[in-house]
Amino acid sequence: MPLWVFFFVILTLSSSSHCSPPPPLTLRMRRYADAIFTNSYRKVLGQLSARKLLQDIMSRQQGERNQERGARARLGRQVDSVWAEQKQMELESILVALLQKHR
């Protein structure tokens, strides 16, 4: 057998195995619809995950702000109590001085 016949047979067999008839129209339309749905679904899932991430970040920031406010409030209460103690000590010393003058 000549060499060119061998290559011709190989090319014929390989080209027929790669060329399959096109799928029917209904199958192509169904695949197209599936692709549209899949793309839309991925987009929605991406938006939902982005929204959830943003809400998590916002809630963390809000939690940190609440902690800072709580710390400021505790610090304010501590300062107020120290201030009240100082005022009370001053009043007591004034009362002691007044009582000593009247004796």
Side-chain angles (χ1 to χ4, degrees):
M1 180 181 337
L3 192 56
W4 66 271
V5 175
F6 178 74
F7 283 118
F8 181 74
V9 171
I10 297 285
L11 287 173
T12 307
L13 289 175
S14 66
S15 65
S16 66
S17 66
H18 289 295
C19 295
S20 59
L25 184 61
T26 56
L27 181 60
R28 281 190 286 167
M29 292 299 287
R30 194 170 12 174
R31 287 182 184 169
Y32 179 70
D34 287 345
I36 291 173
F37 172 78
T38 303
N39 289 340
S40 300
Y41 187 67
R42 285 182 184 164
K43 189 183 293 185
V44 168
L45 286 180
Q47 289 173 350
L48 287 174
S49 63
R51 182 179 295 160
K52 185 174 189 274
L53 177 66
L54 183 61
Q55 287 175 345
D56 288 345
I57 290 170
M58 299 275 293
S59 67
R60 286 182 193 157
Q61 288 178 348
Q62 187 65 32
E64 289 173 1
R65 286 186 194 135
N66 288 342
Q67 286 178 351
E68 288 174 5
R69 287 180 188 154
R72 282 190 216 137
R74 284 191 298 276
L75 181 61
R77 285 193 295 268
Q78 289 172 353
V79 168
D80 289 345
S81 67
V82 169
W83 180 261
E85 288 174 8
Q86 287 177 349
K87 288 293 182 184
Q88 184 177 0
M89 290 173 61
E90 289 175 8
L91 287 174
E92 287 177 357
S93 63
I94 292 172
L95 286 174
V96 168
L98 285 174
L99 287 174
Q100 287 177 356
K101 279 186 180 180
H102 285 296
R103 287 189 189 168

